[in-house]
Amino acid sequence: MNLKIFWQAFMVFLVALFAALSLLTWLKYTEINHKFELSKNFFEKAAEFFVNSISVGYFQWTEMYEALIEQNEEEIHRQFTYLKADFPFIEEIFLQPADVQEHYVFEIFSQDNFLMVHFVVFDSNLERYVSDKIAVAKIDPNGICELFNIENISFDPAGKEFVFGLKAKYAGKLFELSTLVISLLVGLLAGIFKFSLDLRQIYVLHRELNKRYERKLQALQSILTFMEDFLRKEKLLEENEYQLILEEAVKIVPGAEAGSIVLEENGFYVFKAAVGFPLEELRKVKLAPQQLNRQEISDEATIIKNPAAIDKKLLTSDQYEVFLAAGVIEKIKSTLSLPLIVQGKIVGFFNLDNFHDENVFNEESIEIGKLFAGRICLLLERKLFEERIKQEQDTVKKLLDHSLKREFALQCIVDLIQKVLQGGSLNEEQIYNQILETAVKAIPGAQAGSFFLKEENFFVFKATAGYDLEKLKEIKIEIKKEKDYYSKQVQIIKHLPSKNGKTVPLEQLELLRKYGRLDEIKSTLRIPVIVRDEIIGVIHLDNFEGEDAFDNGAIKLGQLFSSIVAVLLNRLELEKLLIKEKELTNNLFKQALRRSAALRKLIDFVQEILQSELPLLEEILLQVLKSAIEVVPGAQAGSLLLIEDHYLVFKTAVGYDLEQLKKVRFDLRKIPGPFDKRAYVARDLAARDSKILSPEELEILRKFGRLDQIKCVLRLPILVGDEPKGLMHLDNFENEDAFDEESLQIGQLFSNIVGVLLYRLQFEKQLREEREKFEHLSYHDSLTQLPNRRYLFEFGSKMLALADRESEKVSLLYMDLKKFKNVNDTFGHAEGDEVLKIVAQRLKELLRKSDLIARVGGDEFVTMAYGTDINGAVELAKRIEQAIEKPIETRLTVHVISANIGIAVFPEDGETLEGLLTKADRAMYYAKINNLAHATTDDLEELL
């Protein structure tokens, strides 16, 4: 009976045992499924946060947008390299053509168990996006798990459905059912009579597992809540958030009763949050890295038992007293220390403390503690990332602001040049005002200004902006008392009132205070105007708000402005001189028509200078080159070469012997390929030039052009339209990387100025040549190149007016060729034209330069001789007859012709050119019908 009862009880026990085993297995599977779902949700949030961070950091930037629009492969490759360096688990990143119809930021899906992300590229304001390309990233999902501390997930194509189309398995260990059953059966056989095995142990184990499960669930739920808040958060991490994270961790992590967070600041570790300790007291302590070395600082979690003994050795006495008073040291039995790692660097520690048990912290504590430490690291990572973005935005903003200011200043200078060069109606005062107004508008920091020019030993006001010019014109600044006016450098001057007190008389100083706001000026930018190495003027730009209103950028713009103004004033002065020369020449022409040929050449020369300005070319080129060397960063010397008959020849140089360099000519035909129109930085010039130049020319460059000393050259082509005209070289002797992008941009401005100058000179030269050609055609016979009837009436009338003022006589001879009609009828008009050319040449050689000869008809010519009476006219007619009657030899035959000449004399035969021509024509006709060589008006009177 007892045996039966025993076996019944034993069977009940077995049933209960297998029931308990089934229950445990079910609980474990339930826990695994729940963890899998939590990991699934956490991974989805983490992946979206990670992808969104990449989109914000790399694909919502104007820099990347413009790189794609402009197809800047180098910039795109550089950005992709930075991205892969920051996140090594990004397997591949590339561009792919696409038709972006909808306005979305990114799209996540999977391919071959990898995450594939399509990024749309926007500008920084999310206003424009690239519509024909997208960026595609291939991402290893295991990297995201590692970044966000997601454990026990194994990505396997044979696994369960995960997120974004991925397949995964949970890698946590299950109870091995067979092992457990065998162990239980062995235990039962070994202790079959120990049925007193208390089932309560199973209950205790189950309860403990439930507690662990609830703690982990609570921690994971907290992390998920944090992730959702984190993704919505726009501000950076606040100080009180450290405290909230720590309080939550102390509640959840097994064994934690207190804790603290320390972060690295400027080489020391400081307390940012504390639970169970007075934070304000702990903030007084700054710990050096070696004072945290309780064991070895590493990236692994550390459990420290009885930390008081270690801290006493590492801390100073003052630090130890603070910790002792705060209860930080003696009460703590065990500390769980978790490093906070951001971008591979330990930036702080997350410490959890227990006051009762040295062994309270276990693997579960470490596991849950890492979740909270990871949460802090993620916040710190975002803080660093957003600070980096802000720094990049500030940098881009500063660069853009600087670029816009420089572009505005240069545009103002270009406008000034155009106004002065094109504004022929502007007087000197208007030009001075234009120069000063442009300077105040273009140079940052300028609020008012004044323009002085040198007159004898004084500088006087010529223009003002913001001041009363009429009152200030009474002031003269003595040069010898103001040494600063001798400086050829652009300067920033502070305390201007004290300086002016030494250079002007007391009464003029009062005018400056009253009408020039002298006592209000905080700082002044002084810009000298230098022409032919002499200071001829000074521009003052004033600021009334701060002593530091002008910076180095203002000085550089001032230097550029100084050179441009110098060229404009030089041009203005030279034009005034040319105008005076022209007036003087015209007066001389009126006084002596007998020297008309020489005077006419002088007038033509003055007009050529006034119109083409060719004599000013080399001087202006030198001025532009000097300015370029002074303004372009990195430039220490330079030269300017122009193309002449397939050769590049030196036109001007600074820092070299120009006369020697002019012996060197670069044959463009020896340079392979077409002329390179790019601006770039060149190095190793000796190797290049040795292929083009002769040994003698190369030696000249080495000796007088310092060829072997040059480290780098800024090569700037000079173009007129798209046609190369020359090169500007800016040289540096110290650094191969002396020229940067800014140097290239400013240098191109100067080469463009030379190009514009050459274009204008070329254009004006063409206009002048066309005008001269037109004038010549309008005043000369196209066949004989003798003056025509228009020329005769215009200059013949002037000759008669001069003769009337000087009481001189003028003889007019009207001639007609005899037998010339037979030449045309017999041999044709081409032969007749050849005869006319020979006759015209004989007449030009016969007459004086002061005499006038013109062809007025087919075979009719008129000669006017100044200062010749009737006797002289008859002698002249005889010489003309002899010259014409000489045999004329052509390609076809020899012709013998003669002439009939009619003579009239001013003023006896007429006081007007028309009257003289009528009388002379009648006399010629008389000679013709009477078969005479010549006849005068007296012969007509005898006939009458």
Side-chain angles (χ1 to χ4, degrees):
M1 184 64 181
N2 292 333
L3 183 61
K4 183 179 180 180
I5 294 173
F6 169 78
W7 283 111
Q8 287 178 350
F10 180 68
M11 291 303 293
V12 171
F13 169 73
L14 287 178
V15 172
L17 178 62
F18 282 108
L21 181 60
S22 300
L23 177 61
L24 287 175
T25 304
W26 177 80
L27 289 174
K28 188 63 178 179
Y29 273 111
T30 302
E31 180 186 1
I32 290 172
N33 287 333
H34 190 70
K35 284 185 176 181
F36 186 80
E37 290 299 321
L38 287 176
S39 299
K40 183 177 177 180
N41 293 334
F42 188 25
F43 181 89
E44 181 178 16
K45 298 290 186 181
E48 289 178 350
F49 167 73
F50 172 72
V51 171
N52 184 65
S53 299
I54 292 177
S55 177
V56 172
Y58 291 89
F59 300 109
Q60 294 181 25
W61 285 88
T62 300
E63 186 178 9
M64 176 62 82
Y65 171 82
E66 291 180 349
L68 262 66
I69 293 297
E70 298 172 3
Q71 297 183 353
N72 188 341
E73 298 294 339
E74 182 179 352
E75 178 64 21
I76 294 170
H77 177 72
R78 185 171 68 89
Q79 293 294 335
F80 284 177
T81 301
Y82 288 161
L83 177 57
K84 293 187 70 174
D86 289 342
F87 303 103
F89 52 84
I90 296 180
E91 298 287 333
E92 190 177 357
I93 180 81
F94 57 91
L95 293 176
Q96 176 177 299
D99 184 11
V100 182
Q101 298 291 345
E102 299 182 2
H103 192 75
Y104 66 94
V105 178
F106 57 83
E107 180 182 11
I108 306 174
F109 59 95
S110 66
Q111 180 179 318
D112 298 332
N113 234 31
F114 282 91
L115 276 182
M116 303 297 292
V117 184
H118 288 177
F119 292 98
V120 179
V121 181
F122 291 84
D123 64 4
S124 298
N125 298 319
L126 293 179
E127 294 176 351
R128 299 173 296 171
Y129 65 93
V130 179
S131 61
D132 60 345
K133 291 186 185 70
I134 58 173
V136 181
K138 183 179 180 181
I139 303 172
D140 184 357
N142 292 304
I144 296 178
C145 290
E146 183 179 346
L147 178 64
F148 292 94
N149 200 22
I150 303 173
E151 298 179 344
N152 297 327
I153 295 297
S154 173
F155 292 94
D156 188 342
K160 295 172 61 177
E161 288 290 339
F162 202 55
V163 292
F164 307 119
L166 295 170
K167 298 291 184 68
K169 291 181 179 180
Y170 188 76
K173 293 182 179 180
L174 299 174
F175 286 123
E176 295 185 9
L177 183 58
S178 61
T179 303
L180 181 60
V181 171
I182 292 172
S183 299
L184 288 174
L185 289 176
V186 172
L188 285 173
L189 292 175
I192 195 168
F193 296 104
K194 296 181 181 180
F195 185 67
S196 56
L197 181 63
D198 194 357
L199 290 176
R200 189 172 181 276
Q201 293 179 357
I202 299 174
Y203 172 73
V204 171
L205 177 61
H206 176 249
R207 185 176 62 180
E208 181 62 24
L209 289 174
N210 275 340
K211 286 183 178 179
R212 290 188 180 185
Y213 163 73
E214 289 174 359
R215 283 195 294 266
K216 289 188 178 180
L217 181 62
Q218 187 178 5
L220 290 172
Q221 188 60 47
S222 173
I223 296 298
L224 284 176
T225 303
F226 157 75
M227 287 296 294
E228 292 175 355
D229 294 340
F230 182 72
L231 290 173
R232 293 193 298 266
K233 197 172 184 67
E234 295 181 358
K235 294 183 179 179
L236 296 176
L237 182 64
E238 302 291 345
E239 290 282 334
N240 63 337
E241 293 194 44
Y242 296 122
Q243 187 70 25
L244 295 176
I245 295 172
L246 182 61
E247 290 174 358
E248 191 173 358
V250 171
K251 292 178 184 178
I252 296 176
V253 176
E257 297 178 334
S260 61
I261 297 175
V262 291
L263 295 179
E264 190 265 340
E265 283 186 1
N266 300 321
F268 292 92
Y269 287 91
V270 296
F271 286 86
K272 290 295 185 180
V275 174
F277 310 112
L279 179 60
E280 294 304 319
E281 291 297 322
L282 297 180
R283 286 184 186 273
K284 300 176 183 177
V285 179
K286 292 185 177 181
L287 301 173
Q290 61 270 21
Q291 291 178 306
L292 294 175
N293 194 19
R294 294 171 174 172
Q295 294 176 4
E296 288 293 331
I297 294 181
S298 68
D299 56 359
E300 296 295 331
T302 304
I303 298 176
I304 305 168
K305 300 178 180 179
N306 295 317
I310 301 174
D311 287 339
K312 192 169 184 179
K313 298 177 182 178
L314 298 175
L315 301 176
T316 65
S317 58
D318 292 339
Q319 291 173 336
Y320 189 79
E321 288 298 327
V322 173
F323 281 3
L324 192 63
V328 176
I329 293 181
E330 291 188 343
K331 295 181 181 179
I332 301 174
K333 297 296 183 183
S334 180
T335 296
L336 173 60
S337 182
L338 297 151
L340 302 175
I341 302 173
V342 176
Q343 296 182 353
K345 179 184 176 184
I346 297 177
V347 298
F349 290 90
F350 180 62
N351 298 321
L352 298 173
D353 304 312
N354 185 278
F355 303 115
H356 300 94
D357 188 355
E358 292 182 359
N359 302 311
V360 69
F361 294 114
N362 54 27
E363 289 299 324
E364 183 185 6
S365 305
I366 294 175
E367 183 180 356
I368 298 177
K370 283 184 177 179
L371 292 176
F372 284 98
R375 174 176 170 179
I376 296 174
C377 291
L378 197 58
L379 288 171
L380 292 173
E381 185 106 27
R382 170 169 174 167
K383 180 180 180 181
L384 290 176
F385 182 71
E386 292 188 357
E387 286 177 348
R388 177 185 168 192
I389 289 177
K390 188 175 184 301
Q391 290 174 356
E392 291 290 337
Q393 288 175 335
D394 292 342
T395 301
V396 172
K397 183 178 180 182
K398 288 179 181 178
L399 290 174
L400 180 61
D401 185 56
H402 175 72
S403 176
L404 290 175
K405 286 182 179 178
R406 185 177 64 188
E407 183 179 351
F408 174 74
L410 296 179
Q411 186 59 49
C412 290
I413 293 174
V414 171
D415 293 342
L416 170 64
I417 295 173
Q418 292 176 343
K419 286 182 180 178
V420 174
L421 293 182
Q422 297 175 0
S425 61
L426 295 177
N427 57 35
E428 287 187 41
E429 184 176 346
Q430 290 172 327
I431 292 175
Y432 298 148
N433 285 327
Q434 287 284 350
I435 290 172
L436 184 59
E437 289 174 5
T438 302
V440 173
K441 180 171 65 171
I443 298 181
Q447 296 175 323
S450 49
F451 188 7
F452 308 86
L453 281 183
K454 182 180 176 183
E455 292 184 0
E456 297 180 350
N457 293 323
F458 296 92
F459 279 106
V460 297
F461 285 87
K462 289 297 182 180
T464 59
Y467 307 120
D468 189 335
L469 176 60
E470 295 303 318
K471 299 292 183 182
L472 295 179
K473 280 184 176 180
E474 303 175 14
I475 299 174
K476 293 185 176 181
I477 300 175
E478 191 171 359
I479 298 176
K480 65 181 180 180
K481 291 184 178 180
E482 177 52 292
K483 64 179 182 180
D484 286 338
Y485 279 91
Y486 290 108
S487 174
K488 297 180 180 180
Q489 303 297 321
V490 178
Q491 298 175 314
I492 298 175
I493 300 176
K494 302 174 182 178
H495 310 297
L496 188 62
S498 61
K499 291 182 177 289
N500 279 325
K502 303 175 184 178
T503 58
V504 296
L506 183 61
E507 62 275 9
Q508 294 185 353
L509 184 63
E510 288 302 316
L511 289 175
L512 273 178
R513 295 183 186 279
K514 184 175 182 180
Y515 300 105
R517 302 172 65 182
L518 184 62
D519 295 328
E520 302 177 38
I521 297 173
K522 300 296 184 184
S523 62
T524 295
L525 185 67
R526 174 173 285 170
I527 304 172
V529 180
I530 304 170
V531 175
R532 289 184 286 275
D533 207 36
E534 179 185 359
I535 299 176
I536 66 164
V538 177
I539 296 175
H540 276 191
L541 301 178
D542 304 321
N543 185 280
F544 307 107
E545 297 176 356
E547 293 184 354
D548 300 321
F550 300 105
D551 56 13
N552 289 333
I555 291 178
K556 286 188 176 182
L557 287 173
Q559 292 169 340
L560 176 61
F561 197 82
S562 171
S563 63
I564 298 299
V565 172
V567 172
L568 294 177
L569 293 183
N570 189 25
R571 172 193 165 90
L572 184 64
E573 185 65 26
L574 290 172
E575 286 184 347
K576 289 165 61 178
L577 292 174
L578 291 175
I579 291 172
K580 290 180 180 179
E581 290 293 331
K582 182 179 178 181
E583 292 175 353
L584 178 62
T585 304
N586 284 329
N587 291 333
L588 291 174
F589 179 79
K590 293 178 182 179
Q591 294 174 3
L593 189 60
R594 287 167 296 184
R595 295 173 291 171
S596 61
L599 291 177
R600 187 174 299 111
K601 290 182 181 180
L602 182 59
I603 292 173
D604 292 340
F605 175 68
V606 172
Q607 289 177 340
E608 180 180 351
I609 294 176
L610 186 62
Q611 294 172 3
S612 67
E613 302 181 5
L614 289 176
L616 302 178
L617 177 60
E618 292 190 2
E619 182 177 347
I620 294 177
L621 291 180
L622 178 60
Q623 185 69 34
V624 173
L625 182 60
K626 285 182 177 180
S627 302
I629 294 171
E630 187 175 1
V631 174
V632 174
Q636 297 175 327
S639 56
L640 200 149
L641 303 89
L642 295 183
I643 297 175
E644 293 182 356
D645 298 329
H646 302 293
Y647 288 93
L648 272 174
V649 296
F650 286 91
K651 286 298 181 181
T652 188
V654 175
Y656 307 114
D657 188 335
L658 178 61
E659 294 305 316
Q660 292 294 331
L661 292 182
K662 284 183 177 180
K663 301 176 183 178
V664 178
R665 292 156 58 89
F666 294 88
D667 191 344
L668 295 176
R669 292 167 294 188
K670 294 182 179 180
I671 301 175
F675 186 92
D676 194 346
K677 301 176 184 178
R678 297 176 298 122
Y680 60 87
V681 179
R683 299 174 182 85
D684 194 14
L685 297 184
R688 184 200 66 181
D689 292 344
S690 62
K691 300 176 182 178
I692 305 172
L693 301 175
S694 66
E696 295 78 13
E697 291 176 319
L698 190 62
E699 185 60 29
I700 292 174
L701 275 186
R702 293 184 187 278
K703 186 175 181 180
F704 301 103
R706 303 171 66 182
L707 181 62
D708 296 326
Q709 302 176 32
I710 297 173
K711 297 295 184 182
C712 63
V713 174
L714 186 59
R715 179 189 180 278
L716 302 163
I718 300 170
L719 306 176
V720 174
D722 198 42
E723 181 183 358
K725 291 294 183 180
L727 285 175
M728 179 186 288
H729 279 180
L730 302 178
D731 306 324
N732 184 280
F733 307 105
E734 298 173 355
N735 186 0
E736 289 186 354
D737 300 317
F739 298 112
D740 54 14
E741 187 64 27
E742 183 181 9
S743 305
L744 193 64
Q745 292 176 359
I746 298 177
Q748 285 180 303
L749 171 67
F750 283 97
S751 66
N752 290 341
I753 289 175
V754 177
V756 171
L757 173 65
L758 294 178
Y759 174 76
R760 179 179 179 185
L761 294 177
Q762 175 181 316
F763 180 71
E764 291 182 349
K765 182 180 178 181
Q766 292 175 349
L767 287 179
R768 186 180 70 255
E769 291 174 352
E770 290 296 326
R771 187 191 65 190
E772 290 175 354
K773 182 178 179 181
F774 177 77
E775 288 181 352
H776 182 81
L777 290 175
S778 63
Y779 282 101
H780 291 76
D781 173 46
S782 60
L783 176 64
T784 62
Q785 299 303 312
L786 291 177
N788 56 16
R789 179 177 290 274
R790 179 182 177 187
Y791 188 98
L792 172 67
F793 272 87
E794 184 171 335
F795 289 93
S797 299
K798 291 181 180 180
M799 184 183 292
L800 295 180
L802 179 62
D804 183 50
R805 288 195 301 271
E806 295 184 352
S807 300
E808 286 284 355
K809 295 182 181 294
V810 177
S811 297
L812 188 146
L813 285 71
Y814 200 120
M815 66 188 76
D816 178 78
L817 299 181
K818 292 175 64 177
K819 304 177 183 177
F820 178 73
K821 185 174 182 300
N822 295 334
V823 175
N824 278 338
D825 293 344
T826 304
F827 298 97
H829 289 282
E831 183 73 3
D833 291 344
E834 189 67 24
V835 171
L836 287 176
K837 290 179 184 179
I838 295 172
V839 170
Q841 183 61 32
R842 290 179 180 180
L843 292 176
K844 283 193 288 187
E845 293 173 354
L846 175 69
L847 299 175
R848 300 173 300 178
K849 291 184 178 180
S850 59
D851 295 338
L852 175 62
I853 176 69
R855 181 188 178 198
V856 296
D859 58 353
E860 295 179 348
F861 299 86
V862 172
T863 297
M864 294 182 69
Y866 187 85
T868 305
D869 58 10
I870 185 63
N871 295 326
V874 170
E875 290 300 321
L876 177 60
K878 292 178 180 179
R879 295 202 304 273
I880 291 173
E881 291 163 4
Q882 293 173 358
I884 294 175
E885 289 173 355
K886 290 180 180 179
I888 298 173
E889 185 176 352
T890 65
R891 290 180 296 106
L892 299 179
T893 186
V894 176
H895 302 280
V896 178
I897 62 174
S898 59
N900 298 116
I901 302 174
I903 302 172
V905 179
F906 172 87
E908 295 94 302
D909 298 326
E911 295 183 355
T912 65
L913 183 58
E914 292 83 352
L916 290 174
L917 284 170
T918 300
K919 292 286 185 71
D921 185 34
R922 291 177 180 174
M924 182 273 293
Y925 184 73
Y926 175 81
K928 190 172 186 178
I929 61 176
N930 291 284
N931 199 24
L932 299 175
H934 59 267
T936 66
T937 54
D938 293 339
D939 296 330
L940 293 176
E941 291 176 358
E942 292 175 2
L943 178 65
L944 294 174

